[in-house]
Amino acid sequence: MIILKTNNELKLMREANRIAAIILSEIEGKIKPGVSTYELDKWAEDRILSLNAKPGFKGYHSGSRIYPATLCTSINHEVVHGIPTKERLLREGDIIGVDVGVIYKGYYGDGAYTYAVGKVSPEVEDLMKTCKGALDVGIKQAKKGNRVTDISIAIDKYVRPRGYEIVRDLTGHGIGRDLHEEPQILNYNDGKKGQKLKVNMTLAIEPMITNGTYKVRTLNDNWTVVTDDGSLSAHYEHTVAITGNGPEILTRL
Ligand code: MF3
Ligand code: CO
């Protein structure tokens, strides 16, 4: 069942997601060669606490796994769920996906952005631009009367002609009191017809694309998802509410 939010719940979700957006905006200036992903994580945790919220991923249970950090920091061929460590230093030319979750008054905020570390090649810039564009076309479909799968189809149609593959093993999701609620939002067209979208649904839309294969695997740390062929991956995520006037992006300043 897809949980519709009351207008008061939407207010709380706006605040939770605004805090996620603050983290993604402020962290940009900290992404430089030589910085460890642990330093980014520590900064993000302190900053979220200073905004009267709590990290949403730290301690999050997924089956028998518990996520240990505030951020997911996924570098180059890492798609999502990279765990920050003191040993992992950013290098010139890397790309890093930063995913942040927060809880504010019982409601989740969730957003992600892929940043270049220093200068990257035009090819890598195009990968990032295409993933961001895919998120934008997906969000445009998040309106009442459409179906969940209209989001999936729009992303698929945008990405594939541009020569990239779409990761299939991970999806977007409904969000609210739980980080992951119904519906699942595929980033590709599986040919099925999804549920109708209604006003006051809240969705986290998050395409993940690669410049190689769509196939991914999980490392021995049980979290880090990498491309099977070592190709590069980008990931962007916004949480949006469906309003009477179309999609409202909640992960914004
Ligand atoms: N944005 C991701 C998601 O919605 C991050 C989850 S990390 C986890 O699935 F640790 F919380 F699982
Ligand atoms: Co998410």
Side-chain angles (χ1 to χ4, degrees):
M1 200 196 51
I2 303 180
I3 301 167
L4 300 181
K5 275 66 183 187
T6 65
N7 289 336
N8 189 51
E9 288 181 298
L10 280 184
K11 277 190 193 153
L12 298 175
M13 291 204 59
R14 248 177 227 121
E15 185 56 17
N17 283 285
R18 191 180 71 86
I19 293 167
I22 289 172
I23 299 303
L24 293 176
S25 162
E26 292 184 358
I27 209 166
E28 180 160 24
K30 303 181 183 299
I31 292 177
K32 296 183 198 130
V35 173
S36 74
T37 50
Y38 171 85
E39 287 168 71
L40 297 175
D41 195 71
K42 177 83 179 92
W43 170 82
E45 177 168 4
D46 291 346
R47 186 73 179 112
I48 290 168
L49 294 172
S50 82
L51 294 164
N52 301 314
K54 286 185 294 194
F57 299 161
K58 199 169 185 171
Y60 181 79
H61 289 249
S62 166
S64 60
R65 306 175 303 165
I66 302 179
Y67 193 71
T70 295
L71 300 177
C72 300
T73 50
S74 308
I75 298 170
N76 297 338
H77 69 297
E78 298 167 356
V79 180
V80 287
H81 304 167
I83 301 171
T85 65
K86 288 187 174 163
E87 291 71 42
R88 193 69 188 271
L89 307 184
L90 302 185
R91 296 195 296 196
E92 175 78 26
D94 283 344
I95 56 172
I96 176 172
V98 175
D99 194 344
V100 62
V102 316
I103 305 178
Y104 179 77
K105 296 193 177 166
Y107 289 85
Y108 277 93
D110 189 7
Y113 199 92
T114 300
Y115 308 87
V117 182
K119 214 174 150 40
V120 299
S121 68
E123 289 77 17
V124 176
E125 270 177 14
D126 189 72
L127 169 76
M128 293 194 291
K129 195 180 97 193
T130 302
C131 192
K132 182 133 201 319
L135 174 57
D136 294 339
V137 298
I139 290 170
K140 280 209 179 74
Q141 297 301 318
K143 54 186 188 194
K144 71 171 176 200
N146 267 2
R147 293 177 185 273
V148 175
T149 39
D150 290 316
I151 299 170
S152 316
I153 291 166
I155 292 171
D156 196 325
K157 277 193 175 151
Y158 184 85
V159 172
R160 302 180 81 149
R162 288 172 170 77
Y164 299 105
E165 291 265 22
I166 299 164
V167 172
R168 303 178 194 177
D169 288 357
L170 296 133
T171 67
H173 49 94
I175 178 168
R177 279 195 166 278
D178 282 317
L179 176 59
H180 298 136
E181 296 181 354
E182 283 186 47
Q184 254 199 100
I185 308 169
L186 301 190
N187 293 305
Y188 64 97
N189 179 6
D190 71 349
K192 296 191 186 130
K193 217 164 153 177
Q195 292 187 66
K196 279 262 176 78
L197 296 173
K198 293 186 181 152
V199 169
N200 287 20
M201 286 182 177
T202 44
L203 308 173
I205 303 175
E206 48 179 322
M208 291 146 264
I209 71 169
T210 84
N211 63 2
T213 180
Y214 67 89
K215 287 186 190 148
V216 297
R217 60 196 165 82
T218 304
L219 299 184
N220 287 334
D221 65 13
N222 270 316
W223 281 104
T224 312
V225 176
V226 298
T227 59
D228 200 45
D229 60 0
S231 60
L232 297 176
S233 171
H235 172 219
Y236 292 82
E237 176 176 26
H238 270 310
T239 293
V240 305
I242 297 175
T243 76
N245 299 317
E248 176 187 347
I249 296 175
L250 302 184
T251 28
R252 66 177 177 204
L253 299 177

